[in-house]
Amino acid sequence: MNIAVIIPVYNAATTIQRCVDGILAEKCMQQGDIYLVDDGSTDQSVEVIKKLYGQSGNVHLFQQEPQGQAAARQKGLDEAIGDGARYIIFIDSDDQIEQGMLDRLAGVIGDQPLAVCGIKKIFPSHTECETTSALQQADTQRDLVTRFLCRNQEMDAGLWNKLFRTDVITQNGIHFRGNNFYEDSFFVLQYLTHCTPQQIKWVEQPLYDLYKHEGSTTYTYDKHLGEKFKWYVTAVQELMKQVGIVLPTDVWTAFYFRTALHFIHHQLRLGGQWTSRDTRKKLRKLSLNPEVLKRLPRKYAASFILIKTFPGVYHKLYRMKRRND
């Protein structure tokens, strides 16, 4: 199959063996390669990798000064493309795959551009699975993009449960933009603008184990997240113009709310000083339009109503929920 597995590595000395050994156990990896890109780890990650896989012919280690996860992924992607890989998948060094995940994806993709499986989100206190997607109900490319922007789940926006085709990436100039927060979602969105719903193959099983823990990108406070939020919204608008997809105002409003809510949640969870006044200011241009609410999944529509009407109550409920996760 000639699959390239790209793994950005940062301080993963305790998890990298679990991650890599699971990948090497897949039958399709007899003709595949793993590209480990260390992004300036300060622990023993590099030493562990060299000790365990230094003599392996299909595990390749690259080192770079700290540039962030997006740059590490792009480095691995460039190396894999240069080596002639036909398929690409991105996996995080602190996660692992279920037995048969790569073989299942490789078995269904055929000549199509994309194969996607479900995920298992593993929290310290519980586990949640996502196995079906709102994207499966799309019938046109515009509907596919609309559903991604308004109704996506983590299994839709993440990179790690998707097998991509290299020629689609290279022919359309798809790449990471160096933004270490929304870079995965934007990469997937770029790719989806070159797929039709009928071309996506789905494996409705939770085959990727996504560990939710402190220290990961989404669980680390980023003082520059406001700038990255603005970048992402603008980048999506520019991409739609570039590919000629025209979306109605209610779609853009729903997308902005989903993205803004993600930003607000990050501030509530990690920022410490975020207030009701800040939330009102962030959402002041958005109105509770019934057409916008229809675009959103039920829980997000309910969140929209509550946070616009009683932001202080929403803040309290959200913080209580996070303490119980």
Side-chain angles (χ1 to χ4, degrees):
M1 285 295 293
N2 196 9
I3 294 175
V5 181
I6 297 167
I7 307 175
V9 177
Y10 182 74
N11 290 353
T14 61
T15 61
I16 193 64
Q17 183 175 11
R18 177 188 70 188
C19 176
V20 173
D21 284 357
I23 295 166
L24 290 174
E26 299 290 286
K27 292 179 181 179
C28 64
M29 288 307 294
Q30 294 174 9
Q31 302 177 50
D33 291 272
I34 298 175
Y35 295 81
L36 298 164
V37 183
D38 184 78
D39 190 49
S41 292
T42 57
D43 67 354
Q44 299 299 307
S45 294
V46 171
E47 289 77 7
V48 169
I49 291 168
K50 288 180 177 179
K51 180 180 179 180
L52 293 173
Y53 311 110
Q55 303 302 315
S56 176
N58 64 341
V59 179
H60 314 284
L61 173 63
F62 302 90
Q63 294 176 254
Q64 64 182 30
E65 294 299 316
Q67 299 176 52
Q69 189 169 251
R73 284 173 172 157
Q74 187 61 49
K75 170 66 176 176
L77 180 59
D78 291 341
E79 294 291 341
I81 291 171
D83 289 343
R86 185 178 180 190
Y87 299 99
I88 300 285
I89 191 165
F90 301 92
I91 290 176
D92 285 354
S93 59
D94 53 352
D95 295 333
Q96 69 183 85
I97 66 172
E98 295 282 328
Q99 183 178 359
M101 173 183 150
L102 295 184
D103 290 332
R104 289 291 304 277
L105 292 175
V108 301
I109 193 169
D111 293 327
Q112 300 305 325
L114 184 63
V116 184
C117 70
I119 65 173
K120 186 185 298 180
K121 299 191 290 186
I122 303 172
F123 295 87
S125 62
H126 67 286
T127 297
E128 299 175 5
C129 293
E130 295 178 3
T131 57
T132 59
S133 165
L135 275 61
Q136 291 174 263
Q137 302 170 28
D139 53 9
T140 66
Q141 190 175 66
R142 192 175 92 154
D143 188 26
L144 181 68
V145 169
T146 295
R147 289 175 178 274
F148 180 84
L149 295 176
C150 301
R151 306 186 69 84
N152 72 76
Q153 301 178 92
E154 201 156 4
M155 68 171 285
D156 302 317
L159 289 163
W160 5 256
N161 61 329
K162 298 174 178 65
L163 188 62
F164 301 94
R165 225 172 60 200
T166 309
D167 60 336
V168 177
I169 294 172
T170 56
Q171 291 171 13
N172 297 289
I174 300 171
H175 63 282
F176 293 97
R177 303 296 180 93
N179 188 324
N180 293 310
F181 221 99
Y182 299 102
E183 89 283 354
D184 47 356
S185 297
F186 192 65
F187 186 97
V188 173
L189 179 60
Q190 289 179 85
Y191 199 91
L192 288 177
T193 62
H194 302 287
C195 303
T196 66
Q198 295 76 23
Q199 291 176 314
I200 303 174
K201 298 299 181 180
W202 299 90
V203 177
E204 295 183 357
Q205 291 181 307
L207 300 179
Y208 186 85
D209 294 345
L210 177 64
Y211 286 86
K212 297 287 195 175
H213 58 85
E214 293 183 4
S216 63
T217 301
T218 53
Y219 279 74
T220 302
Y221 181 67
D222 185 344
K223 65 180 181 180
H224 300 295
L225 186 59
E227 299 167 19
K228 295 175 181 180
F229 162 80
K230 293 176 182 177
W231 169 84
Y232 181 52
V233 172
T234 301
V236 171
Q237 292 171 337
E238 292 176 350
L239 176 63
M240 293 302 101
K241 291 178 182 178
Q242 178 185 328
V243 298
I245 296 178
V246 179
L247 301 174
T249 301
D250 56 290
V251 170
W252 285 117
T253 303
F255 162 65
Y256 182 92
F257 170 71
R258 286 288 305 269
T259 311
L261 189 64
H262 178 269
F263 171 83
I264 292 168
H265 284 173
H266 186 79
Q267 299 299 322
L268 291 175
R269 186 170 65 244
L270 302 166
Q273 302 302 316
W274 193 260
T275 67
S276 299
R277 180 178 294 180
D278 295 322
T279 290
R280 289 193 182 95
K281 183 177 179 181
K282 196 72 178 176
L283 302 177
R284 68 181 184 277
K285 295 181 180 180
L286 305 185
S287 60
L288 289 172
N289 186 322
E291 295 304 312
V292 174
L293 296 177
K294 290 178 184 178
R295 294 286 186 182
L296 296 166
R298 287 183 180 178
K299 69 174 184 178
Y300 283 99
S303 295
F304 195 1
I305 294 170
L306 181 58
I307 201 170
K308 279 287 288 184
T309 310
F310 303 108
V313 173
Y314 185 92
H315 288 190
K316 183 176 180 179
L317 291 173
Y318 178 78
R319 286 181 169 128
M320 289 175 58
K321 179 181 183 301
R322 297 307 306 181
R323 283 197 294 269
N324 293 328
D325 283 342

